[in-house]
Short mmCIF file of all heavy atoms in Angstrom, two decimals:
data_model
loop_
_atom_site.label_atom_id
_atom_site.label_comp_id
_atom_site.label_asym_id
_atom_site.label_seq_id
_atom_site.Cartn_x
_atom_site.Cartn_y
_atom_site.Cartn_z
N MET A 75 -2.89 17.12 2.81
CA MET A 75 -2.81 15.70 2.56
C MET A 75 -2.38 15.46 1.11
O MET A 75 -2.64 16.27 0.23
CB MET A 75 -4.16 15.04 2.82
CG MET A 75 -4.60 15.06 4.28
SD MET A 75 -3.44 14.20 5.34
CE MET A 75 -3.40 15.32 6.70
N LEU A 76 -1.78 14.32 0.89
CA LEU A 76 -1.27 13.99 -0.44
C LEU A 76 -2.31 13.24 -1.27
O LEU A 76 -3.07 12.44 -0.75
CB LEU A 76 -0.02 13.11 -0.31
CG LEU A 76 1.17 13.72 0.38
CD1 LEU A 76 2.27 12.67 0.55
CD2 LEU A 76 1.70 14.91 -0.37
N GLU A 77 -2.31 13.52 -2.54
CA GLU A 77 -3.14 12.79 -3.49
C GLU A 77 -2.32 11.62 -4.02
O GLU A 77 -1.10 11.57 -3.86
CB GLU A 77 -3.54 13.71 -4.66
CG GLU A 77 -4.34 14.91 -4.24
CD GLU A 77 -5.71 14.54 -3.72
OE1 GLU A 77 -6.31 13.57 -4.24
OE2 GLU A 77 -6.18 15.19 -2.78
N SER A 78 -2.96 10.68 -4.69
CA SER A 78 -2.25 9.50 -5.19
C SER A 78 -1.15 9.88 -6.18
O SER A 78 -0.08 9.27 -6.19
CB SER A 78 -3.21 8.49 -5.80
OG SER A 78 -3.89 9.02 -6.89
N ALA A 79 -1.36 10.90 -7.00
CA ALA A 79 -0.32 11.34 -7.95
C ALA A 79 0.91 11.85 -7.21
O ALA A 79 2.05 11.64 -7.66
CB ALA A 79 -0.87 12.43 -8.88
N ASP A 80 0.71 12.52 -6.08
CA ASP A 80 1.84 13.00 -5.27
C ASP A 80 2.63 11.82 -4.72
O ASP A 80 3.87 11.84 -4.68
CB ASP A 80 1.35 13.86 -4.10
CG ASP A 80 0.59 15.09 -4.56
OD1 ASP A 80 0.99 15.70 -5.57
OD2 ASP A 80 -0.42 15.44 -3.90
N VAL A 81 1.91 10.80 -4.27
CA VAL A 81 2.56 9.61 -3.72
C VAL A 81 3.41 8.94 -4.79
O VAL A 81 4.57 8.56 -4.55
CB VAL A 81 1.52 8.63 -3.13
CG1 VAL A 81 2.17 7.33 -2.68
CG2 VAL A 81 0.77 9.29 -1.98
N VAL A 82 2.87 8.81 -6.00
CA VAL A 82 3.62 8.20 -7.11
C VAL A 82 4.88 9.02 -7.39
O VAL A 82 5.97 8.47 -7.57
CB VAL A 82 2.74 8.09 -8.38
CG1 VAL A 82 3.58 7.69 -9.59
CG2 VAL A 82 1.62 7.09 -8.15
N HIS A 83 4.76 10.33 -7.41
CA HIS A 83 5.91 11.20 -7.66
C HIS A 83 6.99 10.99 -6.59
O HIS A 83 8.18 10.90 -6.90
CB HIS A 83 5.47 12.66 -7.71
CG HIS A 83 6.60 13.62 -7.88
ND1 HIS A 83 7.28 13.74 -9.07
CD2 HIS A 83 7.21 14.45 -7.01
CE1 HIS A 83 8.25 14.63 -8.93
NE2 HIS A 83 8.22 15.07 -7.67
N ILE A 84 6.58 10.90 -5.34
CA ILE A 84 7.53 10.68 -4.25
C ILE A 84 8.23 9.34 -4.42
O ILE A 84 9.45 9.24 -4.26
CB ILE A 84 6.82 10.79 -2.88
CG1 ILE A 84 6.39 12.24 -2.63
CG2 ILE A 84 7.69 10.26 -1.76
CD1 ILE A 84 5.41 12.41 -1.48
N TRP A 85 7.47 8.30 -4.75
CA TRP A 85 8.08 6.98 -4.94
C TRP A 85 9.08 7.00 -6.08
O TRP A 85 10.15 6.42 -5.98
CB TRP A 85 7.01 5.93 -5.19
CG TRP A 85 6.28 5.49 -3.96
CD1 TRP A 85 6.72 5.56 -2.66
CD2 TRP A 85 4.99 4.90 -3.88
NE1 TRP A 85 5.78 5.05 -1.81
CE2 TRP A 85 4.70 4.63 -2.52
CE3 TRP A 85 4.04 4.55 -4.84
CZ2 TRP A 85 3.53 4.05 -2.10
CZ3 TRP A 85 2.85 3.97 -4.42
CH2 TRP A 85 2.61 3.72 -3.07
N HIS A 86 8.74 7.67 -7.18
CA HIS A 86 9.68 7.77 -8.31
C HIS A 86 10.91 8.57 -7.92
O HIS A 86 12.03 8.20 -8.29
CB HIS A 86 9.00 8.38 -9.54
CG HIS A 86 8.43 7.35 -10.45
ND1 HIS A 86 9.20 6.61 -11.32
CD2 HIS A 86 7.16 6.92 -10.61
CE1 HIS A 86 8.42 5.78 -11.98
NE2 HIS A 86 7.18 5.93 -11.56
N SER A 87 10.73 9.64 -7.18
CA SER A 87 11.86 10.45 -6.74
C SER A 87 12.80 9.65 -5.83
O SER A 87 14.00 9.90 -5.78
CB SER A 87 11.39 11.69 -5.97
OG SER A 87 10.63 12.51 -6.82
N ALA A 88 12.23 8.69 -5.12
CA ALA A 88 13.03 7.85 -4.22
C ALA A 88 13.72 6.71 -4.97
O ALA A 88 14.43 5.92 -4.37
CB ALA A 88 12.14 7.28 -3.12
N GLY A 89 13.50 6.63 -6.28
CA GLY A 89 14.18 5.61 -7.08
C GLY A 89 13.36 4.38 -7.39
O GLY A 89 13.89 3.41 -7.93
N ASN A 90 12.07 4.37 -7.08
CA ASN A 90 11.23 3.22 -7.39
C ASN A 90 11.02 3.17 -8.90
O ASN A 90 10.52 4.11 -9.51
CB ASN A 90 9.88 3.35 -6.66
CG ASN A 90 9.08 2.08 -6.74
OD1 ASN A 90 9.02 1.44 -7.77
ND2 ASN A 90 8.45 1.73 -5.63
N LEU A 91 11.41 2.05 -9.51
CA LEU A 91 11.34 1.92 -10.97
C LEU A 91 10.09 1.23 -11.48
O LEU A 91 9.96 0.96 -12.67
CB LEU A 91 12.58 1.16 -11.47
CG LEU A 91 13.93 1.81 -11.11
CD1 LEU A 91 15.07 0.94 -11.57
CD2 LEU A 91 14.03 3.20 -11.69
N THR A 92 9.15 0.94 -10.59
CA THR A 92 7.89 0.32 -10.98
C THR A 92 7.15 1.25 -11.94
O THR A 92 7.14 2.47 -11.74
CB THR A 92 7.02 0.06 -9.73
OG1 THR A 92 7.77 -0.73 -8.81
CG2 THR A 92 5.73 -0.64 -10.09
N PRO A 93 6.54 0.72 -13.00
CA PRO A 93 5.80 1.57 -13.95
C PRO A 93 4.72 2.41 -13.24
O PRO A 93 4.09 1.95 -12.29
CB PRO A 93 5.17 0.58 -14.92
CG PRO A 93 6.01 -0.65 -14.82
CD PRO A 93 6.52 -0.70 -13.40
N VAL A 94 4.53 3.62 -13.74
CA VAL A 94 3.59 4.56 -13.13
C VAL A 94 2.19 3.98 -13.01
O VAL A 94 1.51 4.17 -12.00
CB VAL A 94 3.55 5.88 -13.95
CG1 VAL A 94 2.44 6.79 -13.46
CG2 VAL A 94 4.88 6.58 -13.87
N GLU A 95 1.74 3.23 -14.03
CA GLU A 95 0.39 2.67 -13.99
C GLU A 95 0.21 1.75 -12.78
O GLU A 95 -0.83 1.76 -12.13
CB GLU A 95 0.08 1.88 -15.27
CG GLU A 95 0.27 2.63 -16.56
CD GLU A 95 1.73 2.70 -17.00
OE1 GLU A 95 2.49 1.73 -16.80
OE2 GLU A 95 2.11 3.75 -17.54
N HIS A 96 1.23 0.97 -12.49
CA HIS A 96 1.13 0.03 -11.36
C HIS A 96 1.28 0.78 -10.03
O HIS A 96 0.55 0.51 -9.08
CB HIS A 96 2.17 -1.07 -11.50
CG HIS A 96 1.79 -2.34 -10.80
ND1 HIS A 96 0.78 -3.15 -11.24
CD2 HIS A 96 2.26 -2.91 -9.67
CE1 HIS A 96 0.65 -4.18 -10.43
NE2 HIS A 96 1.53 -4.05 -9.46
N LEU A 97 2.21 1.72 -9.98
CA LEU A 97 2.37 2.52 -8.76
C LEU A 97 1.10 3.29 -8.45
O LEU A 97 0.74 3.47 -7.29
CB LEU A 97 3.54 3.50 -8.91
CG LEU A 97 4.94 2.98 -8.65
CD1 LEU A 97 5.95 4.11 -8.80
CD2 LEU A 97 5.06 2.34 -7.28
N SER A 98 0.42 3.75 -9.47
CA SER A 98 -0.82 4.49 -9.27
C SER A 98 -1.87 3.63 -8.57
O SER A 98 -2.60 4.12 -7.71
CB SER A 98 -1.38 4.99 -10.60
OG SER A 98 -0.54 5.97 -11.14
N LEU A 99 -1.92 2.35 -8.93
CA LEU A 99 -2.87 1.44 -8.27
C LEU A 99 -2.54 1.31 -6.79
O LEU A 99 -3.42 1.32 -5.94
CB LEU A 99 -2.84 0.07 -8.93
CG LEU A 99 -3.33 0.02 -10.38
CD1 LEU A 99 -3.11 -1.38 -10.95
CD2 LEU A 99 -4.79 0.42 -10.46
N TYR A 100 -1.24 1.20 -6.47
CA TYR A 100 -0.83 1.12 -5.06
C TYR A 100 -1.16 2.42 -4.33
O TYR A 100 -1.67 2.41 -3.22
CB TYR A 100 0.67 0.84 -4.94
CG TYR A 100 1.07 -0.56 -5.32
CD1 TYR A 100 1.98 -0.81 -6.34
CD2 TYR A 100 0.54 -1.66 -4.65
CE1 TYR A 100 2.34 -2.09 -6.68
CE2 TYR A 100 0.91 -2.95 -4.98
CZ TYR A 100 1.81 -3.16 -5.99
OH TYR A 100 2.18 -4.43 -6.33
N ALA A 101 -0.86 3.55 -4.97
CA ALA A 101 -1.12 4.85 -4.33
C ALA A 101 -2.62 5.05 -4.09
O ALA A 101 -3.03 5.54 -3.04
CB ALA A 101 -0.55 5.97 -5.19
N GLN A 102 -3.43 4.68 -5.07
CA GLN A 102 -4.88 4.81 -4.90
C GLN A 102 -5.39 3.92 -3.78
O GLN A 102 -6.27 4.31 -3.01
CB GLN A 102 -5.59 4.47 -6.22
CG GLN A 102 -5.38 5.51 -7.28
CD GLN A 102 -5.84 5.03 -8.65
OE1 GLN A 102 -6.57 4.05 -8.77
NE2 GLN A 102 -5.40 5.71 -9.70
N ALA A 103 -4.80 2.71 -3.66
CA ALA A 103 -5.21 1.80 -2.59
C ALA A 103 -4.89 2.40 -1.23
O ALA A 103 -5.68 2.30 -0.29
CB ALA A 103 -4.51 0.45 -2.76
N LEU A 104 -3.74 3.04 -1.12
CA LEU A 104 -3.35 3.63 0.16
C LEU A 104 -4.17 4.86 0.51
O LEU A 104 -4.54 5.07 1.65
CB LEU A 104 -1.87 4.02 0.14
CG LEU A 104 -0.88 2.92 0.41
CD1 LEU A 104 0.54 3.46 0.30
CD2 LEU A 104 -1.10 2.29 1.77
N THR A 105 -4.42 5.71 -0.48
CA THR A 105 -5.10 6.97 -0.19
C THR A 105 -6.61 6.84 -0.11
O THR A 105 -7.28 7.77 0.32
CB THR A 105 -4.73 8.04 -1.24
OG1 THR A 105 -5.08 7.58 -2.54
CG2 THR A 105 -3.24 8.36 -1.20
N ALA A 106 -7.16 5.70 -0.50
CA ALA A 106 -8.62 5.53 -0.51
C ALA A 106 -9.22 5.54 0.89
O ALA A 106 -10.27 6.13 1.12
CB ALA A 106 -8.99 4.25 -1.23
N ASP A 107 -8.57 4.86 1.82
CA ASP A 107 -9.16 4.70 3.15
C ASP A 107 -8.63 5.65 4.20
O ASP A 107 -9.26 5.84 5.24
CB ASP A 107 -8.95 3.26 3.65
CG ASP A 107 -9.81 2.27 2.89
OD1 ASP A 107 -10.88 2.69 2.40
OD2 ASP A 107 -9.42 1.11 2.77
N CYS A 108 -7.47 6.22 3.97
CA CYS A 108 -6.91 7.11 4.98
C CYS A 108 -6.05 8.18 4.31
O CYS A 108 -5.38 7.90 3.32
CB CYS A 108 -6.11 6.35 6.02
SG CYS A 108 -4.71 5.46 5.35
N PRO A 109 -6.10 9.38 4.83
CA PRO A 109 -5.29 10.44 4.25
C PRO A 109 -3.80 10.19 4.52
O PRO A 109 -3.43 9.65 5.55
CB PRO A 109 -5.77 11.69 4.97
CG PRO A 109 -6.42 11.23 6.21
CD PRO A 109 -6.90 9.83 5.95
N ILE A 110 -2.98 10.57 3.56
CA ILE A 110 -1.54 10.44 3.72
C ILE A 110 -0.99 11.85 3.92
O ILE A 110 -1.21 12.74 3.11
CB ILE A 110 -0.90 9.77 2.50
CG1 ILE A 110 -1.40 8.34 2.38
CG2 ILE A 110 0.62 9.81 2.60
CD1 ILE A 110 -0.86 7.59 1.20
N GLY A 111 -0.30 12.03 5.01
CA GLY A 111 0.26 13.34 5.32
C GLY A 111 1.55 13.17 6.09
O GLY A 111 2.36 12.32 5.77
N ALA A 112 1.70 13.97 7.11
CA ALA A 112 2.90 13.91 7.94
C ALA A 112 3.04 12.52 8.56
O ALA A 112 2.05 11.85 8.83
CB ALA A 112 2.82 14.97 9.03
N TYR A 113 4.27 12.13 8.80
CA TYR A 113 4.53 10.81 9.37
C TYR A 113 3.85 10.67 10.73
O TYR A 113 3.85 11.56 11.54
CB TYR A 113 6.03 10.59 9.54
CG TYR A 113 6.35 9.29 10.23
CD1 TYR A 113 6.35 8.11 9.51
CD2 TYR A 113 6.59 9.24 11.60
CE1 TYR A 113 6.58 6.91 10.14
CE2 TYR A 113 6.83 8.04 12.24
CZ TYR A 113 6.83 6.88 11.50
OH TYR A 113 7.07 5.70 12.13
N ARG A 114 3.24 9.52 10.91
CA ARG A 114 2.70 9.15 12.21
C ARG A 114 2.72 7.64 12.29
O ARG A 114 2.63 6.94 11.29
CB ARG A 114 1.28 9.68 12.42
CG ARG A 114 0.27 9.11 11.45
CD ARG A 114 -1.11 9.73 11.66
NE ARG A 114 -2.02 9.31 10.63
CZ ARG A 114 -2.70 8.17 10.62
NH1 ARG A 114 -2.55 7.31 11.59
NH2 ARG A 114 -3.52 7.87 9.64
N THR A 115 2.87 7.13 13.48
CA THR A 115 2.86 5.69 13.64
C THR A 115 1.44 5.16 13.51
O THR A 115 0.48 5.86 13.82
CB THR A 115 3.44 5.27 15.01
OG1 THR A 115 2.84 6.06 16.02
CG2 THR A 115 4.92 5.41 15.05
N LEU A 116 1.34 3.95 13.03
CA LEU A 116 0.05 3.29 12.88
C LEU A 116 -0.11 2.25 13.98
O LEU A 116 0.87 1.60 14.37
CB LEU A 116 -0.03 2.57 11.53
CG LEU A 116 0.15 3.43 10.27
CD1 LEU A 116 0.15 2.54 9.04
CD2 LEU A 116 -0.93 4.48 10.17
N ASN A 117 -1.33 2.06 14.43
CA ASN A 117 -1.55 0.95 15.36
C ASN A 117 -1.63 -0.33 14.52
O ASN A 117 -1.62 -0.28 13.29
CB ASN A 117 -2.79 1.18 16.24
CG ASN A 117 -4.09 1.22 15.46
OD1 ASN A 117 -4.27 0.52 14.45
ND2 ASN A 117 -5.01 2.04 15.91
N ASP A 118 -1.70 -1.47 15.16
CA ASP A 118 -1.68 -2.74 14.43
C ASP A 118 -2.82 -2.87 13.43
O ASP A 118 -2.62 -3.34 12.31
CB ASP A 118 -1.70 -3.92 15.41
CG ASP A 118 -0.40 -4.08 16.16
OD1 ASP A 118 0.63 -3.53 15.71
OD2 ASP A 118 -0.40 -4.76 17.20
N ALA A 119 -4.01 -2.45 13.80
CA ALA A 119 -5.16 -2.57 12.89
C ALA A 119 -4.98 -1.66 11.67
O ALA A 119 -5.28 -2.07 10.54
CB ALA A 119 -6.45 -2.22 13.63
N GLN A 120 -4.49 -0.44 11.87
CA GLN A 120 -4.26 0.47 10.75
C GLN A 120 -3.17 -0.07 9.82
O GLN A 120 -3.28 0.01 8.60
CB GLN A 120 -3.86 1.85 11.26
CG GLN A 120 -4.96 2.59 11.97
CD GLN A 120 -4.44 3.83 12.67
OE1 GLN A 120 -3.38 3.83 13.28
NE2 GLN A 120 -5.21 4.91 12.58
N GLU A 121 -2.13 -0.63 10.42
CA GLU A 121 -1.06 -1.21 9.62
C GLU A 121 -1.58 -2.38 8.79
O GLU A 121 -1.27 -2.49 7.60
CB GLU A 121 0.07 -1.67 10.55
CG GLU A 121 1.28 -2.19 9.82
CD GLU A 121 2.37 -2.57 10.79
OE1 GLU A 121 2.85 -1.70 11.53
OE2 GLU A 121 2.75 -3.76 10.79
N ASP A 122 -2.37 -3.25 9.40
CA ASP A 122 -2.96 -4.38 8.67
C ASP A 122 -3.81 -3.89 7.50
O ASP A 122 -3.74 -4.44 6.40
CB ASP A 122 -3.81 -5.25 9.59
CG ASP A 122 -3.00 -6.20 10.44
OD1 ASP A 122 -1.77 -6.34 10.20
OD2 ASP A 122 -3.58 -6.81 11.35
N ARG A 123 -4.62 -2.86 7.73
CA ARG A 123 -5.48 -2.34 6.65
C ARG A 123 -4.65 -1.74 5.52
O ARG A 123 -4.98 -1.92 4.34
CB ARG A 123 -6.46 -1.31 7.20
CG ARG A 123 -7.61 -1.93 7.96
CD ARG A 123 -8.76 -0.97 8.22
NE ARG A 123 -8.36 0.28 8.84
CZ ARG A 123 -8.29 0.50 10.15
NH1 ARG A 123 -8.61 -0.47 10.98
NH2 ARG A 123 -7.92 1.66 10.62
N ALA A 124 -3.57 -1.04 5.84
CA ALA A 124 -2.72 -0.45 4.80
C ALA A 124 -2.03 -1.54 3.99
O ALA A 124 -2.01 -1.48 2.75
CB ALA A 124 -1.69 0.48 5.44
N ILE A 125 -1.49 -2.55 4.67
CA ILE A 125 -0.83 -3.64 3.95
C ILE A 125 -1.83 -4.42 3.12
O ILE A 125 -1.55 -4.78 1.97
CB ILE A 125 -0.08 -4.56 4.95
CG1 ILE A 125 1.08 -3.80 5.58
CG2 ILE A 125 0.42 -5.82 4.25
CD1 ILE A 125 1.74 -4.51 6.75
N LEU A 126 -3.02 -4.66 3.66
CA LEU A 126 -4.06 -5.37 2.91
C LEU A 126 -4.47 -4.58 1.67
O LEU A 126 -4.65 -5.15 0.59
CB LEU A 126 -5.27 -5.66 3.79
CG LEU A 126 -6.41 -6.43 3.13
CD1 LEU A 126 -5.93 -7.80 2.64
CD2 LEU A 126 -7.58 -6.58 4.09
N ALA A 127 -4.59 -3.27 1.78
CA ALA A 127 -4.94 -2.44 0.61
C ALA A 127 -3.90 -2.60 -0.49
O ALA A 127 -4.25 -2.75 -1.67
CB ALA A 127 -5.07 -0.98 1.02
N LEU A 128 -2.63 -2.61 -0.13
CA LEU A 128 -1.57 -2.81 -1.12
C LEU A 128 -1.59 -4.23 -1.68
O LEU A 128 -1.43 -4.44 -2.88
CB LEU A 128 -0.20 -2.52 -0.49
CG LEU A 128 0.05 -1.07 -0.10
CD1 LEU A 128 1.35 -0.95 0.68
CD2 LEU A 128 0.06 -0.18 -1.32
N PHE A 129 -1.80 -5.21 -0.81
CA PHE A 129 -1.84 -6.61 -1.22
C PHE A 129 -2.97 -6.85 -2.20
O PHE A 129 -2.83 -7.64 -3.15
CB PHE A 129 -2.01 -7.46 0.05
CG PHE A 129 -1.72 -8.92 -0.11
CD1 PHE A 129 -0.48 -9.38 -0.50
CD2 PHE A 129 -2.70 -9.86 0.19
CE1 PHE A 129 -0.21 -10.74 -0.63
CE2 PHE A 129 -2.45 -11.22 0.08
CZ PHE A 129 -1.20 -11.66 -0.33
N ARG A 130 -4.09 -6.17 -2.01
CA ARG A 130 -5.26 -6.36 -2.89
C ARG A 130 -5.07 -5.79 -4.29
O ARG A 130 -5.84 -6.11 -5.19
CB ARG A 130 -6.50 -5.74 -2.25
CG ARG A 130 -7.08 -6.60 -1.16
CD ARG A 130 -8.34 -6.01 -0.61
NE ARG A 130 -8.98 -6.92 0.32
CZ ARG A 130 -9.87 -6.55 1.21
NH1 ARG A 130 -10.23 -5.28 1.29
NH2 ARG A 130 -10.40 -7.43 2.02
N VAL A 131 -4.07 -4.95 -4.50
CA VAL A 131 -3.80 -4.45 -5.86
C VAL A 131 -3.52 -5.63 -6.77
O VAL A 131 -4.01 -5.70 -7.89
CB VAL A 131 -2.62 -3.45 -5.87
CG1 VAL A 131 -2.17 -3.14 -7.29
CG2 VAL A 131 -3.02 -2.17 -5.14
N ASP A 132 -2.74 -6.58 -6.28
CA ASP A 132 -2.38 -7.75 -7.08
C ASP A 132 -3.27 -8.96 -6.81
O ASP A 132 -3.34 -9.88 -7.62
CB ASP A 132 -0.92 -8.15 -6.81
CG ASP A 132 0.03 -7.05 -7.25
OD1 ASP A 132 -0.15 -6.51 -8.35
OD2 ASP A 132 0.94 -6.71 -6.48
N ARG A 133 -3.95 -8.96 -5.68
CA ARG A 133 -4.83 -10.07 -5.30
C ARG A 133 -6.15 -9.50 -4.78
O ARG A 133 -6.35 -9.39 -3.58
CB ARG A 133 -4.16 -10.92 -4.21
CG ARG A 133 -2.92 -11.63 -4.70
CD ARG A 133 -2.11 -12.16 -3.53
NE ARG A 133 -0.84 -12.70 -3.92
CZ ARG A 133 0.26 -11.97 -4.09
NH1 ARG A 133 0.26 -10.68 -3.88
NH2 ARG A 133 1.39 -12.54 -4.46
N PRO A 134 -7.05 -9.11 -5.69
CA PRO A 134 -8.26 -8.37 -5.32
C PRO A 134 -9.16 -9.03 -4.28
O PRO A 134 -9.89 -8.36 -3.58
CB PRO A 134 -9.01 -8.21 -6.64
CG PRO A 134 -8.01 -8.43 -7.70
CD PRO A 134 -6.95 -9.32 -7.12
N HIS A 135 -9.10 -10.34 -4.17
CA HIS A 135 -10.00 -11.03 -3.24
C HIS A 135 -9.32 -11.40 -1.93
O HIS A 135 -9.88 -12.16 -1.14
CB HIS A 135 -10.58 -12.29 -3.91
CG HIS A 135 -11.31 -11.96 -5.17
ND1 HIS A 135 -12.49 -11.25 -5.19
CD2 HIS A 135 -11.01 -12.20 -6.46
CE1 HIS A 135 -12.89 -11.09 -6.43
NE2 HIS A 135 -12.01 -11.65 -7.23
N ALA A 136 -8.15 -10.85 -1.68
CA ALA A 136 -7.41 -11.17 -0.45
C ALA A 136 -8.17 -10.66 0.77
O ALA A 136 -8.90 -9.67 0.72
CB ALA A 136 -6.03 -10.54 -0.49
N SER A 137 -7.99 -11.37 1.88
CA SER A 137 -8.60 -10.98 3.15
C SER A 137 -7.48 -10.85 4.19
O SER A 137 -6.35 -11.24 3.95
CB SER A 137 -9.60 -12.03 3.60
OG SER A 137 -8.93 -13.25 3.87
N ILE A 138 -7.84 -10.33 5.35
CA ILE A 138 -6.86 -10.26 6.44
C ILE A 138 -6.33 -11.65 6.76
O ILE A 138 -5.14 -11.84 6.97
CB ILE A 138 -7.49 -9.62 7.70
CG1 ILE A 138 -7.68 -8.11 7.50
CG2 ILE A 138 -6.65 -9.88 8.94
CD1 ILE A 138 -6.42 -7.29 7.51
N THR A 139 -7.21 -12.64 6.74
CA THR A 139 -6.80 -14.02 7.03
C THR A 139 -5.79 -14.51 6.02
O THR A 139 -4.75 -15.07 6.39
CB THR A 139 -8.03 -14.96 7.05
OG1 THR A 139 -8.97 -14.46 8.01
CG2 THR A 139 -7.64 -16.37 7.40
N SER A 140 -6.06 -14.30 4.73
CA SER A 140 -5.11 -14.76 3.71
C SER A 140 -3.81 -13.96 3.77
O SER A 140 -2.73 -14.50 3.52
CB SER A 140 -5.73 -14.69 2.31
OG SER A 140 -6.04 -13.36 1.95
N LEU A 141 -3.90 -12.70 4.12
CA LEU A 141 -2.70 -11.87 4.27
C LEU A 141 -1.80 -12.42 5.37
O LEU A 141 -0.58 -12.52 5.20
CB LEU A 141 -3.09 -10.42 4.58
CG LEU A 141 -1.95 -9.46 4.88
CD1 LEU A 141 -1.08 -9.25 3.65
CD2 LEU A 141 -2.50 -8.13 5.36
N HIS A 142 -2.39 -12.83 6.49
CA HIS A 142 -1.61 -13.32 7.61
C HIS A 142 -1.01 -14.71 7.34
O HIS A 142 -0.13 -15.15 8.08
CB HIS A 142 -2.45 -13.34 8.89
CG HIS A 142 -2.63 -11.99 9.47
ND1 HIS A 142 -1.63 -11.33 10.16
CD2 HIS A 142 -3.68 -11.13 9.44
CE1 HIS A 142 -2.06 -10.15 10.55
NE2 HIS A 142 -3.31 -9.99 10.13
N GLN A 143 -1.45 -15.37 6.27
CA GLN A 143 -0.90 -16.69 5.92
C GLN A 143 0.31 -16.57 5.00
O GLN A 143 1.01 -17.54 4.77
CB GLN A 143 -1.97 -17.56 5.29
CG GLN A 143 -3.06 -17.93 6.25
CD GLN A 143 -4.20 -18.68 5.60
OE1 GLN A 143 -4.25 -18.85 4.39
NE2 GLN A 143 -5.15 -19.12 6.40
N VAL A 144 0.57 -15.38 4.47
CA VAL A 144 1.69 -15.16 3.57
C VAL A 144 2.96 -14.98 4.40
O VAL A 144 2.97 -14.21 5.36
CB VAL A 144 1.45 -13.89 2.70
CG1 VAL A 144 2.64 -13.58 1.84
CG2 VAL A 144 0.20 -14.08 1.85
N PRO A 145 4.05 -15.68 4.04
CA PRO A 145 5.30 -15.49 4.77
C PRO A 145 5.76 -14.03 4.70
O PRO A 145 5.62 -13.39 3.65
CB PRO A 145 6.29 -16.40 4.04
CG PRO A 145 5.46 -17.35 3.26
CD PRO A 145 4.16 -16.65 2.96
N PRO A 146 6.27 -13.48 5.79
CA PRO A 146 6.65 -12.06 5.82
C PRO A 146 7.59 -11.63 4.70
O PRO A 146 7.43 -10.56 4.13
CB PRO A 146 7.32 -11.90 7.18
CG PRO A 146 6.74 -12.97 8.02
CD PRO A 146 6.48 -14.12 7.08
N LEU A 147 8.55 -12.46 4.33
CA LEU A 147 9.47 -12.08 3.26
C LEU A 147 8.79 -12.01 1.91
O LEU A 147 9.20 -11.25 1.04
CB LEU A 147 10.66 -13.05 3.20
CG LEU A 147 11.66 -12.89 4.34
CD1 LEU A 147 12.76 -13.95 4.21
CD2 LEU A 147 12.26 -11.50 4.36
N ALA A 148 7.72 -12.74 1.72
CA ALA A 148 6.97 -12.69 0.46
C ALA A 148 6.32 -11.33 0.28
O ALA A 148 6.14 -10.85 -0.84
CB ALA A 148 5.93 -13.80 0.40
N LEU A 149 5.96 -10.67 1.36
CA LEU A 149 5.32 -9.35 1.29
C LEU A 149 6.33 -8.26 0.95
O LEU A 149 5.98 -7.22 0.42
CB LEU A 149 4.64 -9.01 2.61
CG LEU A 149 3.42 -9.83 2.96
CD1 LEU A 149 2.93 -9.47 4.36
CD2 LEU A 149 2.31 -9.62 1.94
N SER A 150 7.60 -8.48 1.26
CA SER A 150 8.60 -7.44 1.04
C SER A 150 8.95 -7.25 -0.42
O SER A 150 9.52 -6.24 -0.79
CB SER A 150 9.87 -7.74 1.85
OG SER A 150 10.51 -8.90 1.33
N GLY A 151 8.60 -8.20 -1.27
CA GLY A 151 8.93 -8.11 -2.69
C GLY A 151 7.94 -7.39 -3.41
O GLY A 151 7.62 -6.53 -3.99
#
């Protein structure tokens, strides 16, 4: 399984220019609740939890309800 530092390295290798400190917060949010390893599809609940974990990096008090009220294109940025 990958550690958060590995995830940050992969994102940088893929051309993500976000500062390491901020990427680390996203990576830690993703790796906290579920291991990251080989690709596998997520069910809807797992996908919601992963997106919510990332959303909470910038909005710590966000909930599933508030996440579902955000327009889909707003999440892509």
Side-chain angles (χ1 to χ4, degrees):
M75 293 300 138
L76 298 174
E77 299 293 324
S78 61
D80 300 322
V81 174
V82 170
H83 177 72
I84 291 167
W85 283 337
H86 267 282
S87 297
N90 191 319
L91 302 176
T92 304
V94 172
E95 305 80 36
H96 205 71
L97 277 182
S98 292
L99 295 174
Y100 288 121
Q102 289 168 16
L104 278 178
T105 58
D107 289 332
C108 61
I110 295 179
Y113 175 81
R114 63 183 173 83
T115 48
L116 301 175
N117 65 35
D118 288 342
Q120 292 170 319
E121 185 178 299
D122 281 350
R123 284 194 307 271
I125 293 170
L126 182 60
L128 293 172
F129 195 60
R130 282 184 173 161
V131 169
D132 297 315
R133 294 166 187 85
H135 302 292
S137 65
I138 287 288
T139 303
S140 63
L141 175 66
H142 284 285
Q143 293 174 354
V144 175
L147 287 177
L149 292 174
S150 67

